[in-house]
Amino acid sequence: MNSAARFVWVGAMALMAACTVTAQQAASDAGLERFRAIYKELVETNTTLSAGDCTEAALRMSARLKTAGYPAEDMKIFVPEGHPKEGGLIAVLQGTDPNAKAILMLAHVDVVEAKREDWTRDPFKLIEENGYFYGRGTSDMKAQAAIWVDNMIRYREEGFKPKRSIKLALTCGEETNSALNGAGWLAKNERQAIDAEFALTEGVDGDLDAKGNKIALEVLAAEKMSQNYTLEATNPGGHSSRPVPDNAIYHLVRAVDRLSRYEFPVQLNDANRGYFTGMAKVVGGENGAAMLAVVKNPQDQAAVAVLDKNVNWHAMLRTTCVATMLTAGHATNALPQRAKANINCRIFPGVSREEVKAQLMKIVNDAAVSVTIPEVRGPEAKPSPLTPQILKPIEEVANEMWPGVPVITTLEPGASDAQFMNPAGIPTYGVDGIFTDPDGGGIHGLNERVRIESVYEGRTFLYRLVKIYAQQ
Ligand SMILES: [Zn+2]
């Protein structure tokens, strides 16, 4: 091949390559445009408990699935009785292997309240500005909800025939403790429809540093259980002009004071051990050394003391109990007949609420103060097993997309819908591939935002990841 011919040949190849890229680009741009429209529709459908409507959001998403060709028998809008605006959607892309259990893509579509007058921009408009999407739910968690819907549409369009069925559940009521929880409702009333070997949902993101560099992709594998306890002292009371030492308020505040000085023992499981092992390399220095020391020996008090300075790490290491409300007395001029404190405990996975109650009674150490459980929200959860079947695909896709960024498992001190799924026998993991700023991006607060690029990367990540799981 002479150089002129070679030039022509290379030029033709380049042209062909350019054409293919353009064709692919056009297809992916159209796909991206549609994804953006789904995301916009979700954000712009107000789903707050006060003024919003999750059922409407679910109906809109089911209309999109219908357009993509999902038959009516593979979709269901569910509306819990007496809660017309707190409904949701379940849908399935049928798998080819009847013996393979499904994978469930779970997302809540409700959002935390947002007042227009408090926000810089309309919270219920998807606004793009300076590389960010702004709007209530842009981060928590309508991006992932939109990605799940988009996945369902893309897989169907491609004619993808997964081995396992791929299920979708969009639910309501995650953000408000007193609201009816859609995931809990499904676990109770539609257990078969959402049956899956495991579920993926929110919980943790990828971490960016202050300069926007990716530092780690977190995977949530365990959550603590929230449980309230009531400490209560009662007393015959009397006139406050004739005080006696035996006083309900004094009994109670002494008990609360003893509690304030108590720390539950450090505990390790796969999730927090993985977190501290992985994070040690990322944070380095004194903190990194302390992380490795605690993993090696949870009794290492000096190392524990270093980690305890960080509220997140402190909470990840153990059960915590904290006084959150006090009510006492009935008149300014009377000795109190009753004094009550609410203690909110976040219980380490695998520890029972009765064990914590017994420990609280020991700490209180006063027969005049009773310890009771006012309400039980759900069954006790076990941490989801961190098998290679779960972790490997995450590491594979992450490594392709973000080489060198470590995948780190974590234990969440708060709680998500996994608290209903795990006890129902569906191990649930939090992963989204969406990298967020270190300040949290205004989740639950003002001017919630997420990087545009991060959302699009998360879309690619979750599309690939679910595909791999579906073929296992
Ligand atoms: Zn959320």
Side-chain angles (χ1 to χ4, degrees):
M1 205 183 288
N2 66 39
S3 63
R6 189 185 157 151
F7 174 76
V8 171
W9 185 79
V10 171
M13 286 302 285
L15 192 66
M16 277 165 61
C19 288
T20 340
V21 167
T22 315
Q24 276 172 358
Q25 194 72 38
S28 72
D29 282 355
L32 198 64
E33 260 321 296
R34 182 179 58 201
F35 163 72
R36 198 188 168 285
I38 296 169
Y39 185 34
K40 181 177 158 74
E41 187 165 49
L42 273 178
V43 170
E44 298 190 357
T45 307
N46 183 336
T47 49
T48 57
L49 186 65
S50 66
D53 192 340
C54 288
T55 309
E56 181 59 36
L59 283 166
R60 289 176 177 173
M61 293 304 110
S62 77
R64 288 185 175 270
L65 294 187
K66 193 175 168 211
T67 307
Y70 280 88
E73 64 266 27
D74 288 343
M75 289 192 288
K76 183 175 182 181
I77 294 282
F78 63 93
V79 183
E81 217 186 302
H83 299 266
K85 293 183 172 181
E86 293 158 67
L89 168 68
I90 42 184
V92 59
L93 177 64
Q94 300 290 351
T96 54
D97 181 351
N99 297 318
K101 281 188 90 176
I103 161 172
L104 174 66
M105 305 186 292
L106 173 69
H108 68 82
V109 295
D110 63 312
V111 292
V112 174
E113 303 292 333
K115 289 201 177 116
R116 176 66 189 95
E117 62 269 31
D118 298 341
W119 282 51
T120 311
R121 306 161 196 80
D122 185 343
F124 300 105
K125 281 263 167 295
L126 183 72
I127 293 170
E128 283 187 33
E129 214 178 286
N130 300 328
Y132 284 90
F133 285 119
Y134 283 88
R136 173 57 89 219
T138 47
S139 182
D140 184 8
M141 65 170 291
K142 285 178 168 173
Q144 196 170 3
I147 291 168
W148 290 153
V149 173
D150 183 61
N151 271 359
M152 291 291 280
I153 295 172
R154 289 169 83 184
Y155 297 151
R156 178 148 210 120
E157 261 179 9
E158 290 167 8
F160 177 46
K161 298 264 179 284
K163 194 172 154 207
R164 308 170 184 273
S165 290
I166 299 175
K167 293 182 176 179
L168 166 74
L170 301 180
T171 64
C172 197
E174 197 272 342
E175 296 291 8
T176 314
N177 270 347
S178 55
L180 181 127
N181 182 284
W185 189 90
L186 283 175
K188 219 167 154 190
N189 299 284
E190 290 282 357
R191 178 66 185 78
Q192 211 32 54
I194 58 163
D195 189 41
E197 187 155 329
F198 61 94
L200 300 181
T201 190
E202 64 168 349
V204 289
D205 306 304
D207 305 325
L208 296 172
D209 66 15
K211 290 184 193 131
N213 300 311
K214 295 182 172 76
I215 51 177
L217 176 67
E218 292 193 42
V219 180
L220 192 155
E223 288 188 345
K224 291 166 88 179
M225 172 175 68
S226 179
Q227 178 64 55
N228 289 315
Y229 295 86
T230 306
L231 304 192
E232 188 169 14
T234 53
N235 189 281
H239 201 287
S240 62
S241 62
R242 305 279 190 282
V244 292
D246 183 25
N247 177 304
I249 290 179
Y250 295 163
H251 278 288
L252 182 77
V253 296
R254 282 180 201 128
V256 171
D257 180 53
R258 281 191 284 276
L259 175 67
S260 77
R261 285 181 274 117
Y262 179 80
E263 285 283 17
F264 282 80
V266 169
Q267 285 185 274
L268 293 178
N269 62 14
D270 284 355
N272 65 353
R273 194 181 292 117
Y275 176 85
F276 289 118
T277 307
M279 267 304 169
K281 292 180 206 114
V282 175
V283 302
E286 189 197 15
N287 286 333
M291 286 175 178
L292 292 178
V294 170
V295 167
K296 214 170 141 202
N297 174 18
Q299 289 351 305
D300 185 332
Q301 294 310 321
V304 169
V306 171
L307 299 188
D308 281 351
K309 288 183 204 149
N310 176 303
V311 290
N312 191 43
W313 298 339
H314 171 261
M316 282 173 74
L317 280 172
R318 52 170 78 75
T319 295
T320 61
C321 291
V322 62
T324 53
M325 291 179 82
L326 280 178
T327 39
H330 58 283
T332 56
N333 57 358
L335 298 175
Q337 289 163 2
R338 194 177 294 274
K340 223 158 107 167
N342 186 76
I343 307 298
N344 183 249
C345 295
R346 299 303 177 116
I347 301 178
F348 197 87
V351 178
S352 74
R353 50 172 71 88
E354 285 302 326
E355 281 172 69
V356 173
K357 182 182 165 186
Q359 188 56 38
L360 285 175
M361 289 168 77
K362 258 196 210 160
I363 299 162
V364 165
N365 192 25
D366 181 349
V369 179
S370 65
V371 179
T372 54
I373 294 178
E375 35 89 43
V376 167
R377 198 170 178 213
E380 291 166 1
K382 292 189 258 12
S384 309
L386 281 168
T387 57
Q389 178 209 1
I390 295 296
L391 271 179
K392 262 234 159 99
I394 297 176
E395 286 166 348
E396 246 173 65
V397 183
N399 197 42
E400 275 167 37
M401 292 184 66
W402 311 295
V405 176
V407 171
I408 296 180
T409 62
T410 189
L411 180 149
E412 169 59 39
S416 72
D417 279 335
Q419 68 181 305
F420 299 99
M421 292 290 133
N422 288 330
I426 305 172
T428 299
Y429 303 89
V431 62
D432 65 9
I434 299 172
F435 282 79
T436 54
D437 291 329
D439 70 0
I443 288 181
H444 290 202
L446 287 180
N447 306 317
E448 183 174 341
R449 68 178 202 289
V450 61
R451 288 176 188 238
I452 295 171
E453 193 196 339
S454 292
V455 172
Y456 291 163
E457 284 184 2
R459 172 178 180 253
T460 304
F461 175 80
L462 290 175
Y463 165 81
R464 291 192 198 165
L465 180 65
V466 171
K467 241 181 163 173
I468 296 175
Y469 284 141
Q471 297 299 60
Q472 278 177 343

